[in-house]
Amino acid sequence: MAENKAGKIKLTSCFVAIGLILTVVAVSTDHWAFLRPRLEKSNTTCEEAHFGLWRLCTRSTFMTTVDPDGGGCGITNFPGEYNCTYFKHFTSGDEAEVFQITTQKEYSISAAAIAIISVGFMILGTFCTLLSFSKKLDYFLKPAGMFFIFSGLCIIISVEVMRQSVKRMIDSKETIWIQYEYSWSFACACAAFVILFLGGITLLLISLPRMPQNPWETCMDAPPEH
């Protein structure tokens, strides 16, 4: 492996490593979206929530004022602690039964399953990249690039499924939440898609054979780089 090419691979690998970290953070945390209800009067409790791929966390806080536009909670005086519960379809107990409808079971399972597939592709890509370094075999870069691209595509599909889940929850008449905003776990997933996708394409380009230096030189006639 040429020194110049090895440097490009190391730089790209460091770039992709950031995407790997962001993917793990997004999949394992519960801050994909925040949900807030509508309050009609002051001096009452407001039940806020945030959730991720695996569980939903709620918090009841006492509100002294109400949003004048009726868009959600006002000023919090006595913030409470979040009570986090795994979705019922991910646990054998009944403690998450109240969230069965509000989290849109099909969307939640689909988003989680696609995210796991993304992590699987990410692991395979990392394994191929390490082999290309340890064994100095350039042809492992092509599958590594493809795996990272597939991982990025899977995580962005999971993001879209989660976005549809949030929309369904807000539009449903069986939920109390009318206001939402995407949080840092959601942003990590979006950033991971961009990094993994671009990193995978870069590895594919690096793995391509060197272009001929002369007009009469074909790719097959080009001298090896080793």
Side-chain angles (χ1 to χ4, degrees):
M1 187 182 296
E3 184 177 348
N4 185 32
K5 189 173 185 180
K8 293 179 181 179
I9 297 174
K10 291 180 181 179
L11 183 62
T12 305
S13 299
C14 293
F15 180 68
V16 170
I18 298 175
L20 306 185
I21 295 174
L22 291 175
T23 302
V24 173
V25 170
V27 172
S28 59
T29 53
D30 309 316
H31 292 77
W32 284 64
F34 276 92
L35 307 172
R36 297 183 179 89
R38 179 188 299 275
L39 292 183
E40 303 293 341
K41 58 181 181 179
S42 59
N43 296 324
T44 185
T45 57
C46 174
E47 186 175 0
E48 299 176 302
H50 67 79
F51 70 101
L53 296 173
W54 316 105
R55 61 180 187 171
L56 183 143
C57 302
T58 59
R59 179 180 69 176
S60 296
T61 56
F62 185 78
M63 312 306 302
T64 57
T65 61
V66 179
D67 187 346
D69 298 328
C73 300
I75 301 175
T76 303
N77 247 19
F78 306 103
E81 294 183 358
Y82 279 102
N83 180 26
C84 298
T85 310
Y86 285 95
F87 296 139
K88 184 178 179 181
H89 40 274
F90 294 133
T91 179
S92 58
D94 297 330
E95 54 274 4
E97 184 175 0
V98 66
F99 306 132
Q100 184 71 6
I101 298 177
T102 60
T103 54
Q104 302 297 332
K105 177 179 178 180
E106 294 78 9
Y107 284 91
S108 178
I109 293 178
S110 299
I114 297 172
I116 292 176
I117 295 174
S118 174
V119 173
F121 280 131
M122 187 176 65
I123 294 174
L124 291 173
T126 303
F127 181 71
C128 290
T129 303
L130 293 176
L131 283 178
S132 69
F133 277 118
S134 61
K135 303 296 183 180
K136 296 184 178 181
L137 300 175
D138 290 356
Y139 56 79
F140 276 114
L141 292 177
K142 291 183 180 179
M146 293 300 298
F147 284 137
F148 287 135
I149 291 174
F150 292 154
S151 178
L153 291 176
C154 285
I155 198 65
I156 198 63
I157 293 174
S158 182
V159 165
E160 177 59 23
V161 173
M162 183 63 74
R163 195 181 68 85
Q164 293 297 324
S165 176
V166 172
K167 188 175 183 300
R168 287 283 296 273
M169 277 192 284
I170 296 300
D171 294 340
S172 175
K173 296 180 180 179
E174 301 182 27
T175 63
I176 61 174
W177 300 300
I178 54 96
Q179 191 180 54
Y180 72 93
E181 62 183 28
Y182 298 110
S183 190
W184 54 269
S185 296
F186 187 90
C188 285
C190 294
F193 157 70
V194 175
I195 294 175
L196 290 174
F197 190 81
L198 294 179
I201 291 179
T202 303
L203 286 178
L204 286 178
L205 293 177
I206 293 175
S207 66
L208 294 177
R210 184 176 64 84
M211 295 299 294
Q213 296 180 347
N214 301 312
W216 55 86
E217 181 184 16
T218 65
C219 293
M220 297 299 296
D221 295 333
E225 297 181 356
H226 300 289

